[in-house]
């Protein structure tokens, strides 16, 4: 294997510099291909790559990641965490199938801790990466990485607007980007309904350009099946997804190897709903001089109530509320204007006219001398009447403060 092949002189120099700077923490499996992942993730900045790698190694030690493959998850995760190894792509890379509709995030987070749920995800990631490393040693660099097929059939936005679910998603995305750079070979998000665009508009903010370039979002089977089969042999893919693989007796989903998940029985529940529904305290952020702070929230239903209250210390700030619907159309609900939130708390509430992503903007671009300390609380509540959701439990919890937000300061 010649990982330096095709590198420019500057890139070769960065690799040599990086290899030398982290020699004290190198392990046998840390070959040049491993080092190149971190360099590419930091645009060939050897010092930044070193910092990223060392932070990741500390994370692995703190959470005992090197032993996670031997960890035995709670029974509820073993039974109801939907995913599994389908086979290999044409290069030998592991192919993972995730039947997303089978993920009952509400049930799982009432039956295990958030840490256990995240640990289960890490356990699977480490298992698949181990298979990828073995395939790379046997078949070369082309086998590096993981291929994922994520089936979004029957995707329900409501449960992902629930605050604890949003917290887990954000945590997993941040963990992946910080500790598994350039490990995704291809990701096919299939059967994606129109409403998925709302969730994706939030999720993509946590993914770097490399990761996003590997993700193909497709709804029509006439388009995604040929695309997948270009890279995966039919006998390595369940018949349900256009392959020919079946589990006896003729199961097109290959459920013996790919856990389909499903509704978690309430006898597994170990936490009261009230504990998970605790609203977060007022939060504080600093909006830098000349900068902005954006808070993004998902409204899963027309008529959802979005409410806010905020105050600043010492000086005013500009504030607005905008929305983006399923089709990507944008509109302004509260025009941008300066508010005297340093004198009296600014409070408000609006009725969301459509499902979409709602953005609260705190704008300090007009101030080049002062940063603004902001204290805020934002909540979402279900429509006052006429909810069309058949799951009464979610109707009860959707009113919790939605902490599924993206914070950016310019």
């Amino acid at each position: 294997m010649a990982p330096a092949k095709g590198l420019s002189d500057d890139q070769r120099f960065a690799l040599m510099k990086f290899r030398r700077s982290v020699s004290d923490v190198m392990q046998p499996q840390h070959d040049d291909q491993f080092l190149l992942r971190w360099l590419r993730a930091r645009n060939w900045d050897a010092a930044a790559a070193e910092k990223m790698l060392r932070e990741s190694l500390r994370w692995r030690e703190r959470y005992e990641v090197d032993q996670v493959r031997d960890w035995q998850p709670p029974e509820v995760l073993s039974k109801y965490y939907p995913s599994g190894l389908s086979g290999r792509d044409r290069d030998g890379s592991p192919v993972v199938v995730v039947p997303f509709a089978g993920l009952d995030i509400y049930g799982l987070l009432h039956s295990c801790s958030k840490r256990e749920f995240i640990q289960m995800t890490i356990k699977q990631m480490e298992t698949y990466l181990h298979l990828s490393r073995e395939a790379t040693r046997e078949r070369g660099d082309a086998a590096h990485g993981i291929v994922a097929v994520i089936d979004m059939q029957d995707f329900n936005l409501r449960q992902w607007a629930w605050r604890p679910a949003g917290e887990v998603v954000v945590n997993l995305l941040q963990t992946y980007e910080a500790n598994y750079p350039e490990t995704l070979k291809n990701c096919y998000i299939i059967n994606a309904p129109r409403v998925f665009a709302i969730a994706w508009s939030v999720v993509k903010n946590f993914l770097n350009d490399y990761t996003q370039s590997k993700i193909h979002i497709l709804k029509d089977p006439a388009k995604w099946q040929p695309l997948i089969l270009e890279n995966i042999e039919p006998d390595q893919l369940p018949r349900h997804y256009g392959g020919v693989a079946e589990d006896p007796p003729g199961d097109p989903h290959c459920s013996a190897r790919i856990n389909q998940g499903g509704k978690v029985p309430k006898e597994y529940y170990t936490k009261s709903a009230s504990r998970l529904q605790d609203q977060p305290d007022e939060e504080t952020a600093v909006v830098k001089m000349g900068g902005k702070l954006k808070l993004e929230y998902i409204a899963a239903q027309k008529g959802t109530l979005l409410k806010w209250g905020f105050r600043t210390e010492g000086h005013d700030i500009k504030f607005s509320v905008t929305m983006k619907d399923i089709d990507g159309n944008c509109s302004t609900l509260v025009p941008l204007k300066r508010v005297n939130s340093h004198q009296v708390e600014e409070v408000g509430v609006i009725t969301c006219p459509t499902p979409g992503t709602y953005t609260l903007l705190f704008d300090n671009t007009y101030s080049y001398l002062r940063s603004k300390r902001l204290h805020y609380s934002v909540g979402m509540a279900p429509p006052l009447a006429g909810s069309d959701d058949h799951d009464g439990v979610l109707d009860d919890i959707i009113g919790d403060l939605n902490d599924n937000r993206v914070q950016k300061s310019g």
Side-chain angles (χ1 to χ4, degrees):
M1 183 168 55
K5 183 178 180 180
L7 300 183
S8 68
D9 290 342
D10 287 345
Q11 291 170 345
R12 288 172 185 271
F13 177 75
L15 176 59
M16 288 189 294
K17 182 179 179 181
F18 183 36
R19 187 193 302 117
R20 185 169 56 249
S21 67
V22 297
S23 59
D24 59 311
V25 293
M26 290 284 282
Q27 299 177 19
Q29 69 271 26
H30 294 167
D31 55 12
D32 281 357
Q33 185 185 68
F34 171 84
L35 295 177
L36 287 171
R37 286 171 39 203
W38 306 88
L39 276 172
R40 292 190 180 105
R42 287 297 177 260
N43 296 316
W44 301 96
D45 183 331
E50 178 186 357
K51 180 181 179 182
M52 184 183 185
L53 174 57
R54 290 186 182 277
E55 288 176 350
S56 179
L57 292 175
R58 286 193 290 270
W59 168 79
R60 295 183 71 87
E61 182 177 358
R62 186 165 61 250
Y63 289 96
E64 300 180 331
V65 176
D66 290 334
Q67 291 77 46
V68 75
R69 287 172 53 208
D70 299 323
W71 171 69
Q72 295 301 314
E75 180 180 285
V76 68
L77 285 172
S78 297
K79 286 188 173 182
Y80 294 99
Y81 186 102
S83 73
L85 184 68
S86 171
R88 307 276 185 162
D89 73 357
R90 296 177 190 270
D91 297 321
S93 303
V95 176
V96 181
V97 172
V98 180
F100 204 85
L103 179 55
D104 177 10
I105 190 68
Y106 177 82
L108 287 175
L109 291 182
H110 278 74
S111 306
C112 68
S113 68
K114 292 178 185 177
R115 183 186 177 97
E116 287 171 329
F117 184 90
I118 292 170
Q119 196 167 3
M120 181 67 170
T121 307
I122 294 172
K123 175 184 174 73
Q124 296 208 335
M125 187 71 180
E126 289 290 320
T127 299
Y128 300 140
L129 283 177
H130 176 73
L131 295 175
S132 173
R133 286 192 294 269
E134 289 185 335
T136 302
R137 283 193 293 267
E138 295 172 3
R139 304 183 59 169
D141 291 353
H144 172 71
I146 298 171
V147 178
V149 178
I150 303 178
D151 185 3
M152 301 302 299
Q153 187 74 44
D154 301 323
F155 171 72
N156 181 356
L157 185 63
R158 292 290 307 279
Q159 64 173 333
W160 298 101
W162 178 43
R163 180 175 61 84
E167 289 174 346
V168 167
V169 170
V170 170
N171 194 314
L172 285 173
L173 291 170
Q174 292 173 333
T175 297
Y176 173 80
E177 286 294 323
N179 302 288
Y180 298 100
E182 306 219 2
T183 54
L184 184 66
K185 184 176 181 180
N186 273 306
C187 178
Y188 305 96
I189 299 179
I190 61 174
N191 297 320
R194 291 175 67 244
V195 72
F196 175 71
I198 297 174
W200 176 246
S201 69
V202 174
V203 167
K204 69 180 182 181
N205 288 283
F206 293 90
L207 303 176
N208 63 34
D209 292 342
Y210 172 87
T211 302
Q212 291 191 45
S213 73
K214 299 297 181 179
I215 297 175
H216 314 276
I217 303 176
L218 302 159
K219 179 180 180 180
D220 186 358
K223 294 182 178 179
W224 60 254
Q225 284 187 354
L227 181 62
I228 291 176
L229 291 172
E230 285 181 8
N231 300 314
I232 304 171
E233 294 283 0
D235 64 351
Q236 300 294 301
L237 194 67
R239 182 162 58 83
H240 181 72
Y241 299 111
V244 297
E246 293 181 346
D247 283 341
D251 175 11
H253 294 86
C254 296
S255 302
R257 67 184 101 164
I258 301 169
N259 193 333
Q260 301 298 305
K263 192 77 171 177
V264 176
K266 288 190 176 180
E267 51 262 33
Y268 281 103
Y269 285 20
T270 59
K271 298 178 179 179
S272 66
S274 61
R275 182 178 177 184
L276 282 173
Q277 293 179 55
D278 287 343
Q279 295 187 1
D281 296 331
E282 179 184 73
E283 301 196 39
T284 299
V286 174
V287 187
K288 296 180 181 179
M289 61 185 81
K292 301 177 182 179
L293 174 68
K294 293 181 180 179
L295 308 178
E296 292 188 355
Y297 295 81
I298 291 176
Q301 279 185 290
K302 176 182 179 180
T304 297
L305 300 178
L306 173 62
K307 46 191 176 180
W308 63 85
F310 65 89
R311 56 190 172 84
T312 49
E313 297 181 9
H315 302 277
D316 63 7
I317 199 165
K318 286 184 177 181
F319 174 74
S320 70
V321 181
T322 58
M323 66 147 293
K324 179 185 291 186
D325 66 17
I326 299 174
D327 298 316
N329 299 315
C330 300
S331 58
T332 299
L333 304 177
V334 177
L336 183 66
K337 66 176 182 179
R338 292 174 71 162
V339 294
N340 294 322
S341 50
H342 61 302
Q343 297 176 349
V344 62
E345 182 179 17
E346 180 77 9
V347 296
V349 60
I350 60 171
T351 300
C352 299
T354 183
T357 304
Y358 290 75
T359 302
L360 279 66
L361 173 67
F362 298 92
D363 187 334
N364 196 33
T365 55
Y366 62 93
S367 178
Y368 292 99
L369 300 177
R370 297 185 180 91
S371 297
K372 309 291 176 63
R373 182 171 293 276
L374 171 72
H375 306 276
Y376 66 90
S377 178
V378 182
M380 301 192 83
L384 296 177
S387 171
D388 58 1
D389 191 287
H390 63 277
D391 191 340
V393 175
L394 285 179
D395 281 337
D396 292 338
I397 65 172
I398 198 67
D400 291 348
L401 280 179
N402 177 344
D403 200 25
N404 185 19
R405 62 188 178 276
V406 177
Q407 297 191 20
K408 294 183 179 179
S409 59

